[in-house]
């Protein structure tokens, strides 16, 4: 229910409402019936709460109340824009119901849409901490979410309205508002691409990237005018009805940094809302108790709350109704004003700084013949693939017409804070009896370094494993064929145990280079052949001296392949991941003769019923023969026999298998900042160097795992079959 002050305002506005009903429309406007006032609707912003507007529109349609003008801010701008484009309230609800809200609002492009190189970035460095270096200074992204997925949603209804001399030419005249943060001014959208208007009004500061528009930098309009009553009045409405969102009080809003920031912004919005509500003739206020700002998946229930809010004001709204035949004529006129949602583009304009070869490929993929309309799914898949390459952060489309022909316009926005782009992540691995081990790493990428799709990648890791490497990845003439020379330097400390007691430690240092030739099949599969040469040295660093240092040249040739078909690099829920390699070691200081080496890893994730899903992992490798040291394969640690210490067992051969059952702990609201699971696992495997195949070690664990913006956070405990047990904490990578 509304506050007493707002209820009093509604009562005081009743005479004005009744006066408006008898006044009728001005005689100089033949488009409007003279026997009724012109009705305008102002829809407020409010994240998921704004989905209550859907029910208000539905109530108006069912009760035959025409809406002559409509305006909205933020989420209200989206709903108002959908209605203004000619959709009926039912069609607006169908459009909203088809939105994949999780994909639209998560900060990153869906993992499946990334190129293989960008998938490797996400898997190797699971933290979402990324920045760029430009003009000799560190630059951060302008928002957590670049807005690409939201932009595709807006394009689906705004594409036909790409260039309008006035928003009065829409089936229902429309306005929205954004905030220019450069000048601190309100910007009213009354013409131009409908996409720009709705995208700008929804740009929540620090969440969505701002919109560059005619020299202005635009963010959410709620900062200056969250309920645009004044815009509706200026459009010519006799009766202005405001739909305000009385957001429920959150007791926890004052106990966290983000909560205080959100509350501070809401105070500013509330102040401008009060000014707007004072100008409205009638205020509808849905009861939003039981929902929060992330309740997008509950849009039907929110819509019903809006419907009920209108129903409660039926005594005031009823006099605005018209006869059924008059409303049918009104609805038919709106429907006839809609523009086609499908075209057969005779030409494609691509407004982007992409290399010419990529631009030509995009144009050829999207150009349709006269008898084959543009397929929306194909179009969006192409744009997702374009963004997935990593150079641009968003892409959108619109329909244009030139010289009597239909065309398609593609606009992209480059990532302005680089290149190069730098990803960093931290790994923490702790257990009570061995303390906390920490690792820090990063990756620096120069994109399109030697041509389209080519890049220069440099990695650095310190802590659990020390490594620095650099690779020039060159796609020959922008084709699928690649060459990749690289240099690397590794330092790894391997503890040697007798059961759970550490005897000594061996340091492995490797410095060298490699050269690969390969083929990139698609965004999931790649195959390489190559050769590597390095200087390898083993030396004991801790414990009683067992043997002296061993060093020499290691030389090998190999074939490597990868299939990356999972939906998430951190905690996948569907799909396959396969990594496999075959080597022929020509020389190595730990072996007097040449030998083969095979290694393969396979992971499968599958959704079960309800909140459950399963992840299985298998791996195995062998050098066929035996070598003196056996530091080839390692097992032990949170993700490979969790009851053991990290790298507790090693050898020239190994096998491993594990199953992980996960249950989601999140409610129906979107988990924009992390998804958490209860997890139970069973693992079995062994590593050895002697003759024969030993029986496996077994390990079972229980824990809590979180997929967060900084990687996997895992708390758990594991018990093994041979007295091994472990309580541990992990931050970084798990699967």
């Amino acid at each position: 229910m509304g506050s007493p002050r707002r209820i009093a305002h509604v009562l005081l506005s009743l005479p004005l409402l009744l006066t408006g009903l008898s006044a009728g429309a001005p005689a100089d406007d033949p488009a409007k019936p003279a026997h009724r006032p012109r009705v305008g609707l102002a829809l407020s912003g409010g994240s998921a709460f704004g989905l209550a507007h859907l029910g208000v529109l539905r109530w108006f349609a069912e009760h035959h109340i025409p809406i002559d003008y409509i305006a909205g801010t933020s989420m209200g701008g989206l709903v108002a824009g959908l209605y203004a484009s000619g959709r009926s309230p039912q069609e607006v609800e169908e459009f909203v119901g088809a939105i994949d809200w999780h994909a639209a609002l998560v900060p990153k492009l869906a993992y499946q849409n990334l190129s293989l190189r960008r998938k490797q970035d996400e898997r190797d460095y699971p933290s979402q901490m990324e920045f760029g270096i430009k003009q000799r200074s560190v630059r951060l992204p302008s928002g957590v979410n670049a807005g690409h997925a939201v932009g595709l949603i807006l394009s689906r209804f705004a594409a036909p309205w790409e260039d309008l001399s006035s928003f009065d030419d829409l089936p229902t005249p429309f306005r929205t508002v954004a905030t220019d943060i450069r000048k601190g001014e309100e910007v009213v959208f009354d013409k131009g691409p409908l996409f720009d208007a709705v995208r700008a009004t929804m740009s929540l500061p620090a969440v969505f990237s701002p919109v560059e528009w005619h020299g202005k930098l635009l963010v959410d309009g709620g900062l200056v005018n969250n309920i645009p009553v004044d815009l509706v009045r200026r459009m010519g409405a006799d009766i202005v009805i405001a739909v305000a969102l009385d957001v429920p009080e959150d007791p926890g809003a004052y106990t966290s940094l983000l909560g205080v920031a959100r509350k501070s912004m809401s105070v500013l919005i509330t102040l401008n809302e009060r000014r707007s509500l004072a100008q409205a003739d009638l205020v509808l206020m849905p009861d939003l108790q039981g929902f929060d700002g992330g309740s997008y998946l509950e849009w039907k229930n929110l819509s019903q709350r809006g419907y009920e809010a209108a129903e409660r004001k039926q005594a005031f709204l009823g006099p605005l109704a018209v006869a059924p035949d008059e409303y049918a004529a009104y609805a038919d006129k709106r429907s006839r004003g809609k523009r086609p949602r499908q075209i057969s583009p005779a030409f494609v304009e691509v407004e982007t700084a992409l290399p010419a070869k990529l631009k030509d490929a995009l144009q050829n993929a999207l150009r349709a013949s006269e008898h084959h309309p543009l397929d929306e799914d194909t179009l969006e898949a192409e744009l997702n693939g374009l963004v997935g390459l990593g150079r641009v952060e968003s892409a959108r489309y619109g329909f244009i017409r030139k010289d009597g022909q239909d065309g398609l316009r593609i606009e992209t926005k480059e990532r302005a804070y680089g290149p190069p782009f730098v990803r960093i992540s931290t790994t923490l691995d702790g257990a009570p009896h061995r303390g906390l081990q920490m690792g820090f790493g990063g990756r620096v990428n120069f994109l399109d370094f030697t041509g389209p799709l080519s890049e220069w990648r440099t990695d650095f890791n310190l802590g659990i494993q020390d490594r620095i490497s650099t690779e020039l990845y060159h796609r020959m003439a922008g084709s699928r064929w690649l060459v990749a020379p690289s240099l690397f330097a590794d330092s790894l400390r391997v503890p040697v145990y007798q059961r759970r007691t550490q005897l000594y430690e061996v340091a492995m240092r490797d410095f060298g280079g490699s050269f690969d030739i390969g083929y990139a099949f698609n965004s999931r599969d790649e195959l390489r052949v190559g050769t590597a040469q390095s200087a390898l040295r083993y030396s004991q660093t801790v414990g009683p001296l067992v043997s002296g240092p061993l060093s020499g040249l290691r030389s090998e040739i190999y074939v490597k392949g990868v299939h990356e078909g999972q939906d998430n690099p951190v905690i996948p829920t569907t799909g396959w991941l396969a990594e496999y390699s075959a080597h022929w070691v020509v020389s190595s200081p730990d072996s007097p003769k040449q030998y083969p080496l095979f290694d393969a890893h396979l992971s499968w994730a599958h959704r079960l019923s309800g909140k459950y899903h399963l992840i299985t992992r298998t791996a195995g490798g062998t050098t066929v023969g035996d070598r003196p040291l056996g530091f080839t394969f390692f097992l032990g640690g949170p993700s490979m026999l969790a009851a053991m210490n990290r790298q507790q067992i090693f050898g020239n051969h190994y096998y491993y298998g594990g199953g992980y059952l996960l249950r989601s702990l999140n409610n129906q609201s979107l988990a924009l900042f992390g998804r958490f699971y209860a997890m139970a696992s069973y693992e079995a495997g062994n590593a050895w160097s002697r003759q024969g195949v030993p029986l496996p070690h077994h390990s079972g664990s229980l824990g809590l795992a979180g997929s967060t913006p900084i990687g996997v956070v895992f708390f758990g405990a594991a018990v093994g079959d041979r007295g091994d047990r472990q309580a541990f904490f992990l931050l970084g990578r798990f699967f």
Side-chain angles (χ1 to χ4, degrees):
M1 297 294 292
S3 65
R5 183 185 64 79
R6 286 175 173 169
I7 294 173
H9 169 72
V10 171
L11 294 175
L12 290 173
S13 67
L14 180 58
L16 177 60
L17 177 63
L18 297 177
T19 300
L21 291 173
S22 61
D28 60 352
D29 187 358
K32 301 296 178 184
H35 63 278
R36 70 174 182 86
R38 293 168 295 185
V39 176
L41 203 58
L43 307 181
S44 69
S47 58
F49 297 117
L51 297 175
H53 298 316
L54 302 173
V56 175
L57 296 177
R58 176 159 48 90
W59 192 93
F60 273 52
E62 289 181 5
H63 292 79
H64 298 161
I65 299 176
I67 301 170
D68 300 295
Y69 306 100
I70 192 166
T73 300
S74 196
M75 181 59 74
L78 171 62
V79 175
L82 280 164
Y83 185 82
S85 68
R87 283 174 165 80
S88 68
Q90 180 182 348
E91 290 173 326
V92 172
E93 289 201 342
E94 290 173 353
F95 184 94
V96 170
I99 294 174
D100 182 346
W101 288 104
H102 186 268
L105 297 175
V106 293
K108 297 289 187 179
L109 183 69
Y111 186 67
Q112 302 98 310
N113 293 324
L114 298 177
S115 68
L116 183 59
R117 299 285 288 185
R118 302 290 75 80
K119 287 176 180 175
Q120 291 170 347
D121 292 344
E122 297 280 342
R123 188 174 291 279
D124 295 342
Y125 298 91
S127 168
Q128 293 180 11
M129 292 183 289
E130 183 180 66
F131 59 90
I133 301 175
K134 204 163 189 177
Q135 297 176 345
R136 300 182 180 179
S137 63
V138 174
R139 303 287 184 90
L140 296 174
S142 56
V144 175
N145 191 323
H148 170 69
V150 168
L152 290 185
I153 292 170
L154 302 185
S155 293
R156 290 173 198 167
F157 80 88
W161 309 97
E162 183 64 11
D163 192 9
L164 288 170
S165 58
S166 172
F167 283 173
D168 291 339
D169 296 333
L170 287 160
T172 296
F174 166 72
R175 298 290 186 273
T176 190
V177 61
T179 305
D180 180 7
I181 55 175
R182 287 186 174 137
K183 294 185 177 181
E185 296 177 349
E186 175 182 277
V187 176
V188 176
F189 281 90
D190 58 6
K191 62 182 177 180
L194 183 59
F195 175 93
D196 290 349
V198 180
R199 173 65 178 84
T201 195
M202 297 178 65
S203 297
L204 189 65
V207 176
F208 289 107
S209 297
V211 173
E212 290 272 2
W213 187 79
H214 298 299
K216 304 177 187 296
L217 192 62
L218 304 180
V219 297
D220 196 299
L223 297 177
V224 291
N225 195 350
N226 201 47
I227 310 178
V229 171
D230 58 329
L231 301 187
V232 179
R233 183 77 69 190
R234 292 204 300 265
M235 292 166 71
D238 301 310
I239 303 296
V240 180
I241 301 166
V243 184
L245 302 174
D246 195 8
V247 177
E249 181 69 19
D250 178 9
Y254 308 98
T255 60
S256 68
L257 179 63
L258 288 176
V260 171
R262 286 195 299 267
K263 193 63 181 177
S264 300
M265 185 176 294
S266 70
V267 170
L268 296 175
I269 292 173
T270 299
L271 291 175
N272 73 63
E273 279 186 341
R274 290 174 180 172
R275 294 191 297 269
S276 296
L277 292 176
Q279 302 174 50
D281 298 312
L282 183 64
V283 177
L284 307 182
M285 190 172 295
D287 176 8
L288 301 174
Q289 292 295 327
F291 301 96
D292 60 44
S295 299
Y296 295 94
L297 302 181
E298 298 186 68
W299 67 269
K300 287 185 178 179
N301 295 327
L302 283 162
S303 174
Q304 183 61 29
R305 295 291 180 91
Y307 187 94
E308 293 167 358
E311 183 72 21
R312 288 194 295 271
K313 299 296 177 66
Q314 184 173 14
F316 302 97
L317 295 172
L320 298 174
V322 298
D325 58 342
E326 185 176 338
Y327 188 84
Y330 158 82
D332 180 65
K333 181 180 178 181
R334 290 186 70 250
S335 180
R336 286 186 283 107
K338 292 189 293 187
R339 291 184 178 180
R341 299 176 191 172
Q342 278 192 329
I343 63 169
S344 300
F347 61 93
V348 180
E349 291 185 357
V350 181
E351 298 183 10
T352 177
L354 288 174
K357 189 176 182 67
L358 292 181
K359 187 182 295 188
D360 291 342
L362 182 63
Q363 290 174 319
N364 292 333
L366 297 178
R367 189 177 291 114
S369 70
E370 180 180 354
H371 304 292
H372 293 85
L374 180 70
D375 182 75
E376 191 174 75
D377 292 337
T378 300
L379 170 59
E380 294 189 2
E382 290 288 339
L383 296 185
N384 283 332
L386 177 63
V387 174
L389 296 175
R391 188 59 184 262
V392 302
E393 66 179 22
S394 63
R396 66 97 165 180
Y397 61 92
F399 303 155
I400 57 177
R401 191 167 179 82
K402 288 184 179 180
D403 301 325
Q405 291 184 314
D406 290 324
L408 178 68
R409 175 185 291 157
I410 305 294
E411 289 187 3
T412 66
K413 180 182 178 182
E414 286 195 277
R415 292 201 285 173
Y417 55 97
F421 301 104
V422 183
R423 297 182 64 93
I424 58 174
S425 65
T426 299
T427 300
L428 297 176
D429 184 1
H433 69 278
R434 57 180 168 84
L436 183 67
Q437 294 178 292
M438 181 175 181
F440 174 80
R443 172 168 288 170
V444 183
N445 272 326
F446 290 86
L447 303 183
D448 299 328
F449 189 73
T450 57
L453 305 179
S454 300
E455 59 189 69
W456 177 24
R457 168 193 287 178
T458 299
D459 291 316
F460 57 91
N461 292 274
L462 301 171
I464 296 175
Q465 179 177 4
D466 298 333
R467 176 179 174 84
I468 184 168
S469 64
T470 187
E471 178 191 66
L472 178 61
Y473 175 89
H474 178 71
R475 293 279 285 269
M476 292 183 281
S479 70
R480 296 185 181 276
W481 288 99
L482 65 95
V483 294
S486 69
L487 297 172
F488 58 86
D490 283 325
S491 178
L492 177 65
R493 295 173 296 277
V494 180
V496 178
Y497 293 89
Q498 185 175 40
R499 295 189 62 80
R500 294 177 58 84
T501 302
Q502 182 176 334
L503 301 178
Y504 57 92
E505 185 178 85
V506 173
M508 300 171 55
R509 294 181 175 86
D510 198 13
F511 171 77
S514 66
F515 186 87
D516 294 353
I517 298 175
Y519 190 81
F521 294 92
N522 46 47
S523 64
R524 300 177 302 277
D525 301 278
E526 183 180 276
L527 185 66
R528 296 187 181 196
V529 296
T531 180
Q533 305 279 335
S534 65
L536 182 61
R537 176 181 172 86
Y538 299 93
S539 61
Q540 186 177 332
T541 59
V542 176
L545 186 63
V546 176
S547 64
L550 181 65
S551 62
L553 179 68
R554 177 184 172 88
S555 178
E556 65 176 329
I557 57 175
Y558 50 79
V559 177
K560 296 181 178 180
V562 61
H563 170 78
E564 176 59 271
Q566 294 186 326
D567 66 336
N568 191 289
V570 180
I571 300 181
T573 59
T574 60
W576 292 90
L577 170 67
E579 298 173 296
Y580 48 91
S581 63
H583 307 246
W584 184 261
V585 181
V586 178
S587 65
S588 181
D590 59 347
S591 177
K593 59 183 180 180
Q594 300 180 4
Y595 61 91
L597 186 154
F598 303 96
D599 191 18
H601 298 251
L602 183 65
S603 173
W604 177 63
H606 179 67
R607 292 185 186 274
L608 301 175
S609 59
K611 295 185 175 183
Y612 291 89
H613 76 275
L614 177 69
I615 300 174
T616 63
R617 300 169 65 224
T618 57
T622 180
T623 61
V624 180
D626 295 328
R627 299 184 296 128
L629 293 181
F631 294 141
T632 307
F633 306 110
F634 301 91
L635 287 178
S639 61
M640 294 284 272
L641 296 179
M644 293 184 168
N645 291 316
R646 184 182 287 270
Q647 301 166 336
Q648 183 171 329
I649 54 176
F650 56 87
N652 296 323
H653 323 279
Y654 84 106
Y655 61 87
Y656 169 83
Y660 304 81
L661 180 65
L662 295 95
R663 183 190 187 277
S664 174
L665 301 178
N666 293 81
N667 58 27
Q668 288 300 304
S669 295
L670 297 186
L672 301 182
F673 297 100
R675 188 164 292 279
F676 291 84
Y677 303 87
M679 188 179 80
S681 74
Y682 165 74
E683 303 172 277
N686 211 335
W688 73 100
S689 292
R690 63 188 183 276
Q691 295 293 329
V693 180
L695 294 175
H697 294 262
H698 299 272
S699 176
S701 64
L702 295 172
L704 177 68
S707 175
T708 76
I710 57 175
V712 169
V713 176
F714 186 81
F715 300 87
V719 177
D721 64 321
R722 306 183 190 185
D724 296 311
R725 56 180 54 87
Q726 199 82 256
F728 52 86
F729 163 77
L730 180 69
L731 168 65
R733 287 184 56 180
F734 190 87
F735 295 103

